Amino acid sequence: MTELDRVFGTSEVDAVDAVIWALPSSVCREQAKRLAPHFRGHEVILHATKGLEEGTLKRMSQVLREEIPCPRIGVISGPNLAHEVARGEPAATVVASVFNEVVDAGMALLATDKFRVYSAQDVIGVEWAGTLKNVLAIAAGALDAMKLGWNARSMLITRGLAEMVRFGVAMGAKESTFLGLAGIGDLLATCSSPLSRNYRVGQRLAQGEKIDAILSSMGETAEGVRTTRTVWRYAQANRISMPITEAVHMLVDQGVSVQVMLHSLMTRPQVSELH
Amino acid sequence: MTELDRVFGTSEVDAVDAVIWALPSSVCREQAKRLAPHFRGHEVILHATKGLEEGTLKRMSQVLREEIPCPRIGVISGPNLAHEVARGEPAATVVASVFNEVVDAGMALLATDKFRVYSAQDVIGVEWAGTLKNVLAIAAGALDAMKLGWNARSMLITRGLAEMVRFGVAMGAKESTFLGLAGIGDLLATCSSPLSRNYRVGQRLAQGEKIDAILSSMGETAEGVRTTRTVWRYAQANRISMPITEAVHMLVDQGVSVQVMLHSLMTRPQVSELH
């Protein structure tokens, strides 16, 4: 058994041909460096890691590409809450790559009659959607803690999606990707799951806990907290309008209450829906 | 008090300047004919009616325009479940018109610190989104009756939205409207509300009741049942791919079970996310 077999549990007898890379973003580069010598170059890598490299705006496929000598990389993303998939409930996902053979490998490895796989090419959009949704998961947790209804939640998700589109497009993504399973699909599932760490961070912030206390009790960083800071800073510097992201930033890092944040969002100047 | 004051309850002393038209689609033309002589031509009409004219593909603004001598018509739509708005919970909506004065009137009449109003121009998109979402509300009710999780619901809404976009664009709508409050926003709220008649139709169909029994016990037609037939027929004739709409049609009119319908959707050929 090779080191790649050991890490990824894939099944070829003595050569791994396709790897599903699902390590956390925080260890992505370090593990990629460690495993790089075990790749031969012909392998297809499909990663399912959400988030950015800490301290940079680099997406996971960029990090992998920099460390591993395999050009054929793709990303898997969609509304795929793990416990539901494990129970055999129906779900769908997107495999995105500019290489057809990566998409084909993803379909061959993953598709079943309970798990539908759609193909796409916009790797940048799929990766940014999976990163940005974590900011909104914090907002959704905070809003739900206030026990407001479906109108408020639909407003949050819709206007949050508009921010994701603006930011994503500025980073080179295609708008239509955010209309799809890796965009609105994953956003919906994440914002609805109390199992999401980011959602729970939002809930606990709304209940008045401090971010440091929440994070230390959780034992590991909720991806969305880091992402909020990184994205907000970039959006500020580049004049991308992201009022919800800004509100989450104020909630997380400046201790502003959800009530104040919500009132400030509701009383902004009226605008066109297309910014 | 004029007849328009009496019907619409608006407030000018002797002249109604802006009308919020919220009569059901089934009586839209008949009421428009009846009230037409009371309009003087300068009035702004904002309608909030979801659905099509029965037996045609005409949108409500088309019907109003044909009967009433007021060119300045707009549409209001968004995730606005009435009981939540009445409780003073935050919500947002879209006012769409090609006339700026209609949009301004809508903002002046409706915007509060609990109700955000966004402007838009794509009347066709806003009207079709409000019509097509009712088909998916039936599907959401049926899916929820099977007690599946968030992955399945997110998949339904995302792939359903893709059908709405395909159909809407074929009717002259803009894709981006479906990304907004009248599109994904309203779709989310409607598919989450057990108060929606269309949602309840789906639930009861999934539990094995027949459509005739459901509709007669409800006393009035659920808009989505008619819309499903009209849209499915047009999509068939014009080769617009709408597998979920087709499945709802089979569930409603051919008594196919939800289980069979779901299996058939999950085992369709794998495709690109952008059709």
Side-chain angles (χ1 to χ4, degrees), chain A residues 204-215:
Chain A
R204 291 172 64 177
L205 284 168
Q207 287 154 358
E209 285 189 72
K210 297 290 172 216
I211 188 67
D212 292 343
I214 297 169
L215 292 181

Side-chain angles (χ1 to χ4, degrees), chain A residues 18-187:
Chain A
V19 159
I20 309 277
W21 182 286
L23 303 170
S25 65
S26 55
V27 302
C28 184
R29 187 177 296 273
E30 157 201 336
Q31 289 297 320
K33 262 192 220 297
R34 188 179 75 81
L35 293 167
H38 301 280
F39 284 91
R40 293 194 285 178
H42 72 286
E43 295 89 348
V44 159
I45 303 177
L46 276 164
H47 85 81
T49 301
K50 305 278 165 79
L52 298 169
E53 181 176 45
E54 182 152 11
T56 76
L57 282 167
K58 283 189 182 158
R59 295 172 283 106
M60 287 303 112
S61 66
Q62 294 177 296
V63 172
L64 291 173
R65 190 66 196 81
E66 286 173 4
E67 300 297 339
I68 295 177
C70 295
R72 293 182 300 168
I73 297 178
V75 54
I76 313 166
S77 189
N80 305 143
L81 299 172
H83 60 289
E84 294 185 4
V85 175
R87 278 203 298 267
E89 294 180 1
T93 205
V94 168
V95 172
S97 177
V98 293
F99 298 94
N100 286 338
E101 54 268 45
V102 178
V103 172
D104 292 345
M107 292 204 167
L109 281 170
L110 300 169
T112 70
D113 64 349
K114 294 291 168 61
F115 198 71
R116 251 181 101 67
V117 180
Y118 289 83
S119 66
Q121 296 202 310
D122 181 19
V123 174
I124 298 178
V126 169
E127 291 188 315
W128 270 111
T131 295
L132 292 165
K133 61 144 194 186
N134 286 327
V135 178
L136 295 171
I138 297 176
L143 194 70
D144 284 1
M146 298 182 69
K147 307 225 176 297
L148 297 171
W150 284 104
N151 291 345
R153 161 174 273 258
S154 303
M155 170 172 60
L156 171 69
I157 288 178
T158 307
R159 296 306 304 168
L161 185 68
E163 292 187 19
M164 288 172 60
V165 169
R166 283 197 288 273
F167 194 90
V169 167
M171 304 308 282
K174 295 213 175 96
E175 174 172 310
S176 55
T177 300
F178 294 87
L179 262 168
L181 292 162
I184 185 68
D186 191 18
L187 179 62

Side-chain angles (χ1 to χ4, degrees), chain A residues 244-262:
Chain A
I244 298 173
T245 303
E246 182 168 17
V248 174
H249 168 67
M250 286 164 65
L251 179 70
V252 168
D253 283 329
Q254 295 175 19
V256 178
S257 76
V258 185
Q259 286 80 359
V260 167
M261 178 180 119
L262 186 60

Side-chain angles (χ1 to χ4, degrees), chain B residues 1 4 6 37 61 69 75 82 120 144 154 215 220 231:
Chain B
M1 184 185 266
L4 294 185
R6 205 185 59 71
S61 66
V75 55
D144 285 1
S154 303
L215 292 181
E220 55 181 320
V231 168

